[in-house]
């Protein structure tokens, strides 16, 4: 594959990968933003539902109190109000005020409780007549006019108020009962009177040191006394929120916060500090002015935080995605290169084999033609020519055997015929058969094969093929002659046949690779010697199949040393077949 083609493939792989990765990143980011916004808006909707429930309940309670105030018969005003302040937890203080005479109850001084004295001081502006009741009540309208509530506000005509029909929820109904209960416990149904009477009343939100107080007043006729109650807001709130769900989505906290920023009640887990600002809030005005429900989103739910986490996650995914594509690309490129090398090796293998076949065939043909012509009369010469023909045809056979073995080994079809024999004797026989050929090639064969029985259970042909491959290589690659030392040594459970020459040896970088198929050391020697790069790989495979191995090590003093490791036969096998040795 050309370099330009590889670069083109990489561009084709990389550019779409980046485009997909970046678009995926943006899409996930967009989706995350949408989910965040949905979470925020659904939390806000929930807060608004809570706010509406609180407002509706406060309004119901207020309406019920106004009804009750209206229903009190004139002679019973004092008694009823005092009963309420004693027994109704929603009532904090009560009062009776006359335009002419001023405050009738409670009276400041030693007889009043400290709470009553504080109450008198708190509403001094009203009780002194500086601010009219109507004007104070209407401030609820002005101050909180921005409220989303379009309900009729206090300060309105009572007759319209009592005619309203409302459906109350059970909790709200209980509070309403409480607002009316004290009066009804008298056993008189004075509400009948209330429906027919026309009076004026309302509710005044009052702030003292930024604390909210709610004062309800009622006046039966324009010239009659004004009387009313101050609501116990905390009791009211605690009763309302008792009905609220305790469980909310993880990471979201709803907090009811007063005008000072203090948290009065919290729904959801999470530590929220007083005064922590919140982007999302719903006001509880006009019924509870300055109070609001804050929505806090924690645990990575806040858009900014979740975005950070999301960015890290998305980047990580993108990196993994890109890395896997690049890795896949690298593996494919490597595989393609390997296939390319394989194809090249196979092509060169075909030409090498043809070349190797051609050399012995040429000599065989040449000597056979000479003999056929009958011009050679010298018997000695004739014998030599015939010997060359035999040797060359044997070489041809070995070569063809190697090629056949290669295809058999590649397809896993090679079969071995194992038998028990004496390896020392067998090696000696092989060397004897090739001694002359070795000498004629200019090498001096020294065999150090011990005169003892070394029993092996192997395939004879396999061992012979391995040995002849090593001897042929020595003859082929050692141009300067010298000794060819072949030794056989018994080790513990195996024996070693070493084939050593005094040639140039194998360069370190090629020592492992020479056992790979088609691998030839790229030097001047291999360029002039025909070869297919198969001999050593076939020999190694045969030896591994027979339970042995072949190793290469440089020979001390120069040259190559190939060590053939052969497993010895077990004593059991020897004892079972003693006559085969
Ligand atoms: P071939 O001889 O057909 O090339 P082999 O697998 O038998 O294939 O050998 C692989 C390579 O190892 C040879 O091409 C040669 O470069 C190197 N080689 C093998 N034996 C020797 C040796 N005795 N001395 C030097 N180089 C050798």
């Amino acid at each position: 594959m050309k370099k330009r083609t590889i670069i083109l493939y990489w561009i084709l792989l990389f550019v779409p990968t980046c485009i997909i990765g970046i678009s995926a990143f943006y899409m996930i980011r967009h989706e995350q933003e949408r989910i965040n916004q949905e979470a925020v808006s659904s939390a806000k909707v929930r807060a608004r539902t809570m706010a509406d429930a609180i407002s509706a309940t406060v309004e119901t309670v207020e309406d019920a109190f106004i009804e009750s105030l209206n229903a009190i018969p004139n002679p019973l005003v004092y008694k009823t109000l005092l009963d309420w302040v004693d027994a109704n937890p929603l009532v904090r203080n009560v009062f009776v005020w006359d335009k002419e005479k001023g405050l009738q109850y409670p009276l400041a001084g030693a007889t009043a409780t400290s709470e009553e004295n504080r109450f008198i001081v708190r509403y001094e502006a009203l009780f002194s007549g500086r601010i009219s009741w109507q004007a104070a009540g209407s401030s609820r309208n002005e101050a909180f006019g921005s409220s989303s509530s379009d309900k009729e506000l206090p300060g309105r005509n009572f007759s319209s108020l009592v005619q309203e029909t409302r459906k109350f929820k059970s909790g709200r109904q209980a509070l309403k009962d409480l607002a009316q209960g004290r009066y009804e416990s008298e056993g008189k149904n004075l509400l009948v009177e209330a429906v027919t009477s026309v009076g004026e009343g309302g509710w005044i939100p009052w702030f003292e040191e930024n604390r909210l107080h709610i004062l309800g007043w009622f006046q039966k006729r324009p010239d009659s006394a004004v009387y009313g109650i101050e609501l116990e807001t905390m009791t009211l709130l605690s009763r309302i929120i008792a009905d609220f769900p305790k469980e909310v989505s993880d990471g979201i906290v709803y907090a009811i916060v007063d005008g000072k920023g203090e948290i009065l009640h919290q729904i959801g887990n999470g530590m929220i500090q007083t005064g922590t600002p919140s982007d999302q809030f719903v006001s509880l005005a006009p019924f509870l002015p300055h109070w609001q429900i804050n929505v806090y989103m924690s645990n990575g739910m806040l858009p900014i935080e979740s975005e950070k986490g999301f960015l890290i996650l998305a980047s990580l995914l993108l990196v993994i995605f890109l890395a896997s594509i690049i890795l896949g690309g690298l593996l494919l490129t490597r595989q393609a290169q390997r296939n390319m090398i394989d194809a090249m090796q196979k092509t060169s293998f075909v030409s090498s084999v043809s070349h190797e076949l051609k050399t012995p065939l040429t000599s065989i043909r040449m000597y056979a033609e000479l003999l056929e012509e009958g011009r050679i009369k010298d018997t000695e010469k004739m014998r030599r020519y015939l010997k060359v023909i035999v040797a060359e045809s044997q070489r041809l056979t070995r070569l063809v055997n190697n090629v056949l073995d290669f295809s058999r080994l590649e397809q896993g079809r090679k079969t071995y015929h194992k038998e028990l024999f004496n390896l020392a004797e067998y090696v000696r026989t092989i060397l004897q058969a090739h001694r002359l050929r070795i000498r004629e090639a200019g090498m001096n064969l020294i065999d150090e094969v011990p005169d003892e029985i070394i029993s092996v259970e192997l395939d004879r042909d396999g061992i012979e093929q391995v040995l002849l491959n090593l001897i042929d290589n020595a003859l082929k690659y050692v141009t300067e002659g010298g000794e060819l030392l072949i030794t056989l040594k018994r080790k513990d459970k195996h024996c070693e046949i070493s084939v050593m020459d005094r040639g140039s040896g194998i360069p370190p970088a090629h020592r492992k690779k020479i056992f790979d198929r088609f691998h030839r050391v790229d030097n001047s020697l291999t360029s002039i010697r025909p070869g297919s790069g198969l001999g050593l790989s076939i020999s190694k495979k045969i030896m591994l199949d027979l339970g042995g191995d072949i190793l290469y090590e440089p020979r001390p003093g120069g040259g190559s040393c190939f060590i053939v490791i052969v497993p010895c036969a077990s004593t059991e096998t020897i004892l079972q077949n003693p006559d085969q040795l």
Side-chain angles (χ1 to χ4, degrees):
M1 216 189 292
K2 281 185 195 156
K3 206 174 172 190
R4 275 214 343 244
T5 323
I6 294 178
I7 293 173
L8 185 75
Y9 283 0
W10 269 107
I11 291 173
L12 285 176
L13 184 77
F14 201 71
V15 171
T17 305
C18 284
I19 294 172
I20 293 170
I22 292 166
S23 353
F25 181 81
Y26 277 107
M27 272 163 67
I28 300 171
R29 193 178 151 142
H30 179 76
E31 185 59 13
Q32 179 70 27
E33 269 169 18
R34 200 184 60 75
I35 293 168
N36 276 347
Q37 274 168 9
E38 249 173 40
V40 169
S41 60
S42 80
K44 200 170 172 187
V45 166
R46 189 153 190 196
R48 175 155 299 284
T49 313
M50 289 180 190
D52 286 349
I54 294 173
S55 297
T57 310
V58 174
E59 187 184 22
T60 307
V61 169
E62 287 181 353
D63 288 354
F65 266 120
I66 294 284
E67 278 181 47
S68 303
L69 286 171
N70 180 41
I72 304 172
N74 278 341
L76 289 177
V77 166
Y78 278 94
K79 184 185 177 307
T80 311
L81 289 179
L82 288 173
D83 282 351
W84 284 8
V85 83
D86 277 350
N88 195 327
L90 292 176
V91 178
R92 184 170 177 174
N93 285 294
V94 294
F95 71 93
V96 179
W97 179 82
D98 191 280
K99 202 176 174 187
E100 304 298 325
K101 299 173 204 157
L103 191 63
Q104 298 294 293
Y105 183 86
L107 289 173
T111 50
T113 62
S114 56
E115 170 59 31
E116 283 172 341
N117 279 325
R118 279 203 301 275
F119 174 72
I120 296 164
V121 172
R122 192 180 306 143
Y123 297 99
E124 193 273 332
L126 280 169
F127 295 147
S128 65
R130 267 192 289 128
I131 302 174
S132 79
W133 296 94
Q134 287 82 353
S138 67
S139 72
R140 197 179 208 185
N141 254 330
E142 288 156 20
F144 310 105
S146 58
S147 157
S148 61
S149 172
D150 54 0
K151 285 180 181 157
E152 202 178 346
L153 294 170
R156 67 212 133 170
N157 192 303
F158 177 65
S159 57
S160 65
L161 188 144
V162 292
Q163 282 155 18
E164 283 175 35
T165 339
R166 290 196 183 89
K167 290 190 175 101
F168 299 106
K169 288 189 177 160
S170 60
R172 201 175 298 158
Q173 183 63 51
L175 279 170
K176 188 186 173 192
D177 291 346
L178 198 60
Q180 294 176 330
R182 193 68 202 143
Y183 166 69
E184 284 175 356
S185 69
E186 295 290 307
K188 297 165 201 163
N189 188 3
L190 291 177
L191 269 172
V192 178
E193 186 192 329
V195 172
T196 54
S197 74
V198 175
E200 196 181 356
W203 291 92
I204 302 166
W206 203 261
F207 288 95
E208 186 195 49
E209 291 169 3
N210 227 350
R211 281 188 75 94
L212 173 67
H213 301 272
I214 300 173
L215 193 75
W217 62 276
F218 193 80
Q219 191 174 28
K220 288 199 171 173
R221 285 184 310 278
D223 56 338
S224 66
V226 174
Y227 57 93
I229 59 160
E230 187 188 39
L231 274 183
E232 184 59 87
T233 43
M234 285 305 155
T235 312
L236 180 61
L237 180 71
S238 64
R239 296 287 176 99
I240 295 170
I241 55 187
D243 292 340
F244 274 20
K246 307 280 177 292
E247 300 294 319
V248 288
S249 314
D250 268 358
I252 304 182
V253 173
Y254 300 90
I256 300 173
V257 177
D258 69 7
K260 285 202 281 189
E262 263 173 33
I263 294 169
L264 305 173
H265 181 73
Q266 173 181 327
I267 304 164
N269 298 323
M271 284 288 292
I272 307 293
Q273 300 292 323
T274 300
T276 310
S278 161
D279 283 346
Q280 305 298 328
F281 67 88
V282 179
S283 168
L284 290 174
F287 294 97
L288 299 168
H290 287 204
W291 284 22
Q292 60 189 42
I293 299 181
N294 282 356
V295 183
Y296 298 98
M297 304 186 89
S298 59
N299 294 348
M301 287 289 288
L302 269 175
I304 192 83
E305 274 181 42
S306 72
E307 199 161 295
K308 244 194 256 166
F310 162 76
L311 274 178
I312 294 169
L313 187 77
S315 317
L316 207 75
L317 285 176
L318 194 64
V319 168
I320 294 173
F321 176 65
L322 288 178
S324 53
I325 296 269
I326 290 168
L327 202 78
L330 276 175
L331 289 175
L332 281 178
T333 314
R334 230 180 116 183
Q335 189 57 41
Q337 274 172 340
R338 269 193 197 158
N339 291 348
M340 210 168 60
I341 293 169
D342 246 33
M344 269 163 54
Q345 282 178 334
K346 276 181 185 157
T347 318
S348 78
F349 162 72
V350 173
S351 68
S352 315
V353 167
S354 319
H355 187 66
E356 259 200 289
L357 289 173
K358 212 175 148 193
T359 321
L361 272 176
T362 315
S363 342
I364 292 170
R365 196 177 151 192
M366 194 182 78
Y367 286 112
E369 276 174 2
L370 278 175
L371 290 172
E372 192 196 23
E373 281 168 10
R375 281 193 280 146
I376 312 291
K377 302 287 175 216
D378 185 355
T379 45
E380 180 53 29
K381 234 181 187 179
M382 272 170 78
R383 229 166 52 82
R384 228 179 42 238
Y385 287 177
L386 280 170
K387 251 167 79 183
V388 172
I389 291 173
V390 172
E392 287 300 282
S393 56
Q394 278 174 344
R395 195 173 132 198
L396 212 59
T397 310
R398 283 200 299 278
L399 187 71
V400 172
N401 274 347
N402 263 352
V403 175
L404 286 176
D405 262 358
F406 170 69
S407 68
R408 279 195 208 111
L409 285 165
E410 283 280 290
Q411 293 164 10
R413 286 190 296 111
K414 172 126 177 106
T415 49
Y416 299 96
H417 304 285
K418 286 191 180 181
E419 54 186 313
L420 189 67
F421 63 92
N422 179 0
L423 184 66
E425 192 189 318
Y426 189 58
V427 170
R428 263 198 304 275
T429 316
I430 296 169
L431 294 183
Q432 195 52 42
H434 293 270
R435 191 173 287 276
L436 196 66
R437 183 165 75 93
I438 296 167
R439 193 175 334 124
E440 280 175 357
M443 289 190 92
N444 177 27
L445 175 69
I446 304 169
D447 74 289
E448 288 180 7
V449 181
D451 196 10
E452 57 174 300
I453 296 176
I454 297 177
S455 320
V456 289
E457 196 188 15
L458 287 178
D459 178 279
R460 281 180 192 259
D461 293 345
I463 282 287
E464 183 181 9
Q465 197 178 344
V466 170
L467 262 181
L468 292 185
N469 272 340
L470 295 176
I471 293 170
D472 279 356
N473 275 352
L475 300 184
K476 200 155 59 168
Y477 298 112
V478 182
T479 44
E480 54 279 4
E483 60 169 35
L484 176 63
L485 175 63
I486 297 178
T487 63
L488 174 62
K489 282 182 190 150
R490 182 198 280 275
K491 297 279 165 164
D492 189 18
K493 282 188 176 162
H494 69 275
C495 45
E496 288 177 2
I497 307 169
S498 303
V499 178
M500 295 170 263
D501 62 45
R502 285 283 176 212
S504 53
I506 295 181
H510 292 270
R511 283 175 191 167
K512 273 196 180 140
K513 289 185 188 162
I514 48 166
F515 295 104
D516 291 347
R517 56 194 193 141
F518 307 124
H519 188 86
R520 304 194 76 207
V521 177
D522 196 9
N523 57 20
S524 54
L525 213 55
T526 45
S527 61
I528 52 161
R529 302 286 168 173
S532 53
L534 281 183
L536 286 180
S537 76
I538 290 174
S539 305
K540 179 115 176 160
K541 182 82 172 74
I542 291 175
M543 285 321 297
L544 287 173
D545 285 353
L546 294 176
D549 203 353
I550 298 190
L551 307 172
Y552 170 85
E553 51 185 50
R555 188 179 176 191
S560 305
C561 172
F562 287 92
I563 304 165
V564 183
I565 298 169
V566 187
C568 289
S570 65
T571 346
E572 212 177 28
T573 322
I574 300 167
L575 290 173
Q576 278 169 5
N577 311 281
D579 48 322
Q580 284 191 26
L581 290 169

